[in-house]
Amino acid sequence: MAKTLYEKLWDSHVVRELADGTCLLYIDRQLVHEVTSPQAFAGLRARARTLWRQDANLAVADHNVPTQDRALGITDTTSRLQVEALEKNCRDFHVPLFAMNDIRQGIVHVMGPEQGATLPGMTIVCGDSHTSTHGAFGALAYGIGTSEVEQVLATQCLLQKRSRTMRVRLEGTLPTGAGAKDMALAVIGKLGTAGGTGHAIEFAGSAVRNLSMEGRMTLCNMAIEAGARAGMVAVDDTTIRYLEGRPFAPSGALWEQAVCAWRDCVSDTDAVFDSEWQIDVSALSPQVTYGTSPEMVVAVDGRVPDPAAERDGARREALASALTYMGLHPGTAITDIAIDVVFIGSCTNARLEDLRAAAGMIRGRRIAAHVRRALVVPGSGLVKRAAEAEGLDRIFKEAGFEWREPGCSMCLAMNADRLESGERCASTSNRNFEGRQGQGGRTHLVSPQMAAAAAIAGHFVDIRRDF
Amino acid sequence: MQRFERETGLVVPLDRLNVDTDAIIPKQFLKAVARTGFGANLFDNWRYLDHGEPGQETPRTPNPDFVLNKPRYQGASILLTRANFGCGSSREHAPWALLEYGIRAIVAPSFADIFYNNSLKNGLLPVVLPEAVIDTLFAAVEATVGYALTIDLRSEQVFANDTPIGTFTIDPFRKECLLEGLDDIGWTLAHEADIRRYEERRRREAPWLFAQAEGRS
Ligand code: SF4
């Protein structure tokens, strides 16, 4: 019978199936970070349990780490204790760890693929919702809670039920000014933040095939923002080319054998999905969110919508309260919204390609006088080094940006990088929830080019026209 | 895990769509390395007028307008809310905070997937009822001080004053775990031989999954 990619991945990992359809599912790779793992290791200790398979895990600290003055260590006590707990847990349980000053350290979802620790056909989990990123490699990857982190450490398995399948076809050639981030935001705008609930989404279509691995990761990264458990893209030459020679990827005869198997990490042509969507991207505009949920998104040449026009009562209230929080009036042109801070970073958009795209917008220009702060936080030490080798750091610094050490940084503001109350930020991250980038902070999600252009202009600009 | 069989309790209404995990428990409190201590910071940004940090000694200023702070809802153990509750991050700190505050069940039209799973694994029961029933419940809670519900897991029913007002479904396996207070790890380790057999087969079919991890880094 014809199968979708999701069904192939799922079926090849079922250890045992129960009468109600709950499956004991085998996990090939677990990525571990400092925030969601301490209680899991504590649970193992409390019951004197050991790891089922040490080598299936890979750890890194990213959420709490400082992005400046690494030589000083972590000055925030609670952050330091949490990072130290991770180091101790990894030592005690023999989990490979990239320490804070290792060049390979970075955001867990940037580091995994970069190392080739993310491979097609795998099941990959991490105590972090944006684990969906790794689905870009034709893998089944999703975020789990701490109880499940503990379970994978102890048993290499999870008890799960099959998701429904959804295919989102993105067809057409992307126009200039629009990229993977705009595709992701447009998909969420169309499906809504709960549109993918209970589903694993496969992104397909010519626009996806034409994306680089970086772009596919951006797209899959935000599948969770449409409520989906997982996002994925079928394997093709782009996938395989990206992986060849990566440290954790197989080599020699094993590489040949693996590539052969990976060619099957695609949906069969006559496979049936539970639901299908199609979006034409050939006229896609750069997207900007205006509210406190990623579905509150509009084209850059659009305007802030009016809650009064919303017929559903609960939605009307949600929109009205979002606009109050965001300090925006209905009808305001997006390009009239002035910004205070710019953040280029996060597991959505902090890879080399993203930094290149942003740097391309600012060469020889300066950030606007009223922009209080513009940060560039590379996704990993290796991204940072590669960017420096191309001179991107100089372009950013000359324009007035700060060039930082890798980590999650202002994506969720668990370290010192955060918005002040009332500040407005053009951010390349993935969530615009209330307080996400600092209490009272206002987040507008955009692509790296849009963020860079906003830094220069001091407000959002239609990069197709005005840049 | 805490067992769940039947809960009768006061209902507190949180009339918002898409309540996200950052709202349930803001990130600064995720720096803890223990499983406890989150209850006081549940809905922190809405519940208090001042900003809170973990381990803070100074007393907080409650926001009198936030529903959890209203005298009539003190002691509530059932949270009534809107669609897509728990969207956002995978933090299990969200169900930990709700449980520690005293919430045992959440009634909503829908939940975000990871939050739903995390709740079940901690003995916090997510109850899905149709949108129309939820609307009626919001009106009833608003109109009646002391409005309580009973949630019976065995029969998968919700009662108001012994009158059934809705049914919900829970996977049989999850239901069993909740009723018995069983945890997944214990269950899984009882099937150790199955896992070993799977690994042997997989090692033959896809040897790179085992070889590569030995770290050529
Ligand atoms: S960059 Fe942001 S979204 Fe990504 S893992 Fe870090 S905190 Fe989560």
Side-chain angles (χ1 to χ4, degrees):
Chain A
M1 209 188 74
K3 284 184 181 181
T4 64
L5 170 57
Y6 175 80
E7 287 159 347
K8 289 182 185 181
L9 292 167
W10 181 273
D11 292 349
S12 61
H13 288 86
V14 173
V15 170
R16 188 189 179 95
E17 181 157 355
L18 309 185
D20 75 344
T22 301
C23 288
L24 189 61
L25 199 71
Y26 191 81
I27 303 302
D28 295 314
R29 166 78 68 212
Q30 170 154 252
L31 300 167
V32 177
H33 69 86
E34 79 275 24
V35 180
T36 53
S37 67
Q39 297 87 353
F41 285 107
L44 294 179
R45 276 201 188 87
R47 288 169 205 82
R49 283 174 174 149
T50 53
L51 257 52
W52 183 274
R53 228 187 103 189
Q54 292 157 356
D55 64 358
N57 301 284
L58 185 57
V60 71
D62 56 0
H63 283 64
N64 270 295
V65 299
T67 57
Q68 268 177 315
D69 301 329
R70 286 264 165 102
L72 302 179
I74 307 178
T75 44
D76 178 292
T77 322
T78 45
S79 290
R80 192 183 62 241
L81 290 176
Q82 201 171 51
V83 172
E84 285 172 359
L86 178 71
E87 288 168 357
K88 178 171 179 0
N89 287 330
C90 289
R91 245 190 339 267
D92 291 357
F93 289 89
H94 306 286
V95 174
L97 165 78
F98 294 161
M100 198 170 79
N101 291 318
D102 190 314
I103 184 84
R104 300 169 294 181
Q105 182 268 341
I107 305 171
V108 64
H109 310 309
V110 175
M111 177 279 288
E114 188 172 72
Q115 290 298 318
T118 298
L119 295 174
M122 274 185 162
T123 42
I124 301 170
V125 295
C126 173
D128 188 279
S129 57
H130 292 100
T131 309
S132 59
T133 311
H134 308 263
F137 289 81
L140 174 56
Y142 49 82
I144 55 176
T146 299
S147 296
E148 291 177 313
V149 171
E150 182 180 341
Q151 180 174 5
V152 176
L153 289 170
T155 70
Q156 213 54 45
C157 291
L158 283 176
L159 279 155
Q160 300 258 317
K161 274 199 123 171
R162 211 179 267 265
S163 299
R164 287 190 293 275
T165 55
M166 178 187 291
R167 177 159 55 190
V168 177
R169 282 181 196 272
L170 295 148
E171 302 285 359
T173 309
L174 274 175
T176 348
K181 181 65 165 286
D182 304 297
M183 282 164 69
L185 289 169
V187 168
I188 297 159
K190 188 161 174 119
L191 264 61
T193 44
T197 304
H199 288 81
I201 302 181
E202 178 172 345
F203 296 102
S206 55
V208 176
R209 294 263 71 85
N210 288 334
L211 285 178
S212 64
M213 286 316 295
E214 283 84 350
R216 294 177 190 182
M217 284 189 254
T218 301
L219 192 57
C220 290
N221 174 273
M222 292 197 73
I224 179 78
E225 257 45 76
R229 203 69 219 281
M232 58 188 71
V233 174
V235 169
D236 61 9
D237 290 341
T238 307
T239 326
I240 289 164
R241 237 179 289 123
Y242 177 97
L243 286 169
E244 191 162 14
R246 304 254 163 199
F248 281 70
S251 58
L254 270 185
W255 167 260
E256 300 300 329
Q257 194 186 352
V259 169
C260 222
W262 295 342
R263 293 283 178 194
D264 191 44
C265 293
V266 296
S267 288
D268 294 332
T269 36
D270 40 357
V272 181
F273 290 79
D274 294 314
S275 64
E276 295 244 23
W277 293 78
Q278 180 147 342
I279 299 176
D280 178 11
V281 303
S282 51
L284 186 67
S285 311
Q287 307 281 306
V288 181
T289 67
Y290 53 81
T292 53
S293 160
E295 71 185 16
M296 296 177 179
V297 65
V298 70
V300 63
D301 50 2
R303 291 176 181 276
V304 174
D306 189 348
E310 181 60 68
R311 299 226 306 276
D312 176 82
R315 297 184 69 89
R316 184 165 56 240
E317 268 173 45
L319 180 55
S321 90
L323 295 190
T324 307
Y325 180 86
M326 293 296 288
L328 291 174
H329 297 290
T332 306
I334 295 295
T335 48
D336 285 342
I337 301 174
I339 49 131
D340 309 302
V341 175
V342 174
F343 172 63
I344 297 176
S346 91
C347 57
T348 314
N349 283 128
R351 299 178 188 85
L352 188 58
E353 183 179 288
D354 303 310
L355 302 189
R356 279 184 191 146
M361 305 298 291
I362 61 174
R363 202 181 295 268
R365 309 193 209 206
R366 286 281 308 170
I367 60 173
H370 71 270
V371 171
R372 179 180 74 86
R373 161 170 275 181
L375 281 187
V376 187
V377 185
S380 72
L382 289 168
V383 168
K384 180 169 185 257
R385 189 169 71 183
E388 287 171 353
E390 293 182 11
L392 301 185
D393 58 323
R394 273 203 320 280
I395 299 175
F396 283 117
K397 284 190 270 193
E398 280 163 18
F401 281 83
E402 296 173 46
W403 179 251
R404 295 292 188 84
E405 299 292 338
C408 294
S409 179
M410 207 188 272
C411 172
L412 93 165
M414 263 183 95
N415 68 356
D417 311 335
R418 61 183 73 157
L419 296 181
E420 300 297 326
S421 188
E423 275 187 333
R424 190 179 297 288
C425 179
S427 176
T428 66
S429 56
N430 45 48
R431 284 191 178 138
N432 52 358
F433 299 156
E434 284 186 16
R436 172 77 177 181
Q437 296 191 289
Q439 200 179 23
R442 296 160 171 166
T443 303
H444 295 269
L445 304 175
V446 288
S447 71
Q449 293 98 306
M450 285 287 290
I456 304 298
H459 56 83
F460 292 110
V461 283
D462 191 339
I463 54 175
R464 297 167 300 184
R465 272 205 336 257
D466 304 329
F467 240 76
Chain B
M1 182 179 81
Q2 224 172 323
R3 289 180 67 250
F4 192 107
E5 200 170 347
R6 193 181 170 90
E7 173 69 23
T8 300
L10 189 66
V11 181
V12 56
L14 182 61
D15 197 353
R16 276 189 182 244
L17 272 175
N18 298 323
V19 172
D20 60 72
T21 51
D22 283 74
I24 300 173
I25 180 89
K27 71 275 196 140
Q28 64 267 34
F29 303 107
L30 310 189
K31 293 183 187 179
V33 292
R35 256 175 199 264
T36 50
F38 303 109
N41 304 108
L42 174 70
F43 299 122
D44 201 87
N45 289 342
W46 293 335
R47 204 160 136 207
Y48 303 102
L49 292 170
D50 49 356
H51 176 81
E53 281 296 325
Q56 181 174 328
E57 303 274 316
T58 46
R60 308 287 303 279
T61 317
N63 171 7
D65 294 333
F66 184 57
V67 72
L68 254 65
N69 292 332
K70 304 227 157 125
R72 62 181 280 198
Y73 298 121
Q74 296 315 301
S77 66
I78 296 170
L79 180 71
L80 174 68
T81 186
R82 298 285 181 185
N84 201 27
F85 186 84
C87 62
S89 91
S90 65
R91 63 189 70 159
E92 203 160 309
H93 313 69
W96 295 338
L98 285 156
L99 276 169
E100 199 172 315
Y101 176 84
I103 302 295
R104 287 303 321 270
I106 307 171
V107 182
S110 64
F111 292 89
D113 286 340
I114 306 182
F115 177 83
Y116 185 88
N117 263 317
N118 283 343
S119 297
L120 288 176
K121 292 191 177 172
N122 286 279
L124 172 65
L125 188 68
V127 175
V128 177
L129 292 180
E131 211 69 68
V133 179
I134 298 289
D135 286 342
T136 325
L137 285 175
F138 267 105
V141 172
E142 185 65 31
T144 325
V145 175
Y147 188 84
L149 286 174
T150 294
I151 294 167
D152 184 56
L153 177 59
R154 229 175 260 285
S155 67
E156 302 185 353
Q157 279 192 303
V158 179
F159 300 88
N161 285 325
D162 297 333
T163 315
I165 55 141
T167 46
F168 58 97
T169 53
I170 293 279
D171 281 341
F173 177 74
R174 284 291 150 216
K175 184 171 168 179
E176 189 66 25
C177 289
L178 281 165
L179 289 169
E180 302 298 327
L182 284 180
D183 83 295
D184 287 13
I185 302 183
W187 188 95
T188 306
L189 287 174
H191 295 83
E192 198 178 321
D194 289 339
I195 309 174
R196 301 263 177 233
R197 252 195 312 278
Y198 173 87
E199 280 182 329
E200 268 167 43
R201 174 163 64 81
R202 218 33 201 166
R203 210 181 272 276
R204 284 194 304 276
E205 289 170 1
W208 61 88
L209 288 175
F210 297 83
Q212 52 87 27
E214 269 134 42
R216 295 193 301 109
S217 56

